[in-house]
Amino acid sequence: MGRTAIVTGGTRGLGKAIALALREAGHQVAANYLYDEEEAHAFQREHGIAVYRWDVSDFAACCEGVARVEAELGPVGVLVNNAGITADAMFHKMSEEQWWSVIQTNLGSMFAMTRPVIEGMRARGFGRIVNISSINARKGQAGQCNYAAAKAGIIGFTKSLALENAARNVTVNAVAPGYCDTPMVAAMRPDVLAAITAGIPAGRMGASADIARTVVFLADEAAGFITGATFDVNGGQYLA
């Protein structure tokens, strides 16, 4: 049974793959974005998925955005908290702006996006929330204290929210991707990418579809007995 699904950061990278996979699974998808309006509308024209612009770190904007989606597409039954940014620097050189921008967007958005949908999910007796964490939440990463802290916070948020809502048939799970074929990863130097790939037992970078398939499974009604879990999708690079 298809539901209305919101995917934050849903017009590019992992979010784009997730939005397309959810649509293929029969969901009515709303893809949120903030930057690159031209790219977002090209995505909408090509794939027929509605796009909505708001800042996931802004609670008021999220409330307004969710209300608009629900008015146009129906009650939200699936939320994928995918939007995220990086602002890498060694901690002793990290600015306050680099710290807080990543914390607010990557972790603050968990509250800002989930709070407007959780009461409706509880009242209707169904909800699927999937939060995108990271391999670096598990193992840490030099130059990413801000990013790793935010992504690790997502795992704690996921477990706690899962406990609060399990009895209402609202599941909350996390996916911790390894290095995948996204624009964020592609921006790395070729020698760095080669070294990373050499350290992945599966012998390759992840594909966006690898992550998307996991999210689609967790969003399904059949996954109703899985909650509070973190799925490591990293080709064996790090085993938690």
Side-chain angles (χ1 to χ4, degrees), residues 41 52 56 95 153 180 186 199:
H41 285 286
Y52 296 83
V56 296
S95 69
C180 295

Side-chain angles (χ1 to χ4, degrees), residues 54-212:
W54 72 80
D55 182 352
V56 296
S57 70
D58 182 328
F59 180 54
C62 291
C63 290
E64 292 171 7
V66 168
R68 190 156 29 107
V69 170
E70 293 197 319
E72 296 178 10
L73 303 181
V76 174
V78 177
L79 171 64
V80 182
N81 284 312
N82 165 75
I85 62 170
T86 58
D88 296 352
M90 298 298 283
F91 187 75
H92 63 281
K93 296 182 178 180
M94 185 175 289
S95 69
E96 185 177 7
E97 181 187 4
Q98 286 174 308
W99 174 264
W100 286 116
S101 64
V102 171
I103 295 296
Q104 282 296 105
T105 298
N106 297 8
L107 182 58
S109 61
M110 296 298 115
F111 174 84
M113 277 304 306
T114 308
R115 185 64 183 84
V117 304
I118 192 67
E119 288 188 70
M121 289 179 173
R122 287 170 59 87
R124 291 186 295 272
F126 181 88
R128 297 288 183 265
I129 299 169
V130 184
N131 303 317
I132 305 301
S133 181
S134 169
I135 186 175
N136 290 343
R138 297 293 217 177
K139 71 179 186 61
Q141 178 62 43
Q144 285 197 328
C145 284
N146 49 3
Y147 184 83
K151 292 296 189 176
I154 287 172
I155 294 174
F157 170 83
T158 296
K159 291 179 178 181
S160 299
L161 193 65
L163 292 173
E164 292 182 9
N165 291 281
R168 298 300 183 99
N169 193 30
V170 177
T171 67
V172 190
N173 292 289
V175 178
Y179 289 88
C180 295
D181 57 357
T182 64
M184 186 183 295
V185 172
M188 295 179 178
R189 295 197 324 263
D191 60 316
V192 174
L193 287 176
I196 291 171
T197 304
I200 300 174
R204 64 173 177 89
M205 289 278 182
S208 297
D210 294 324
I211 310 305

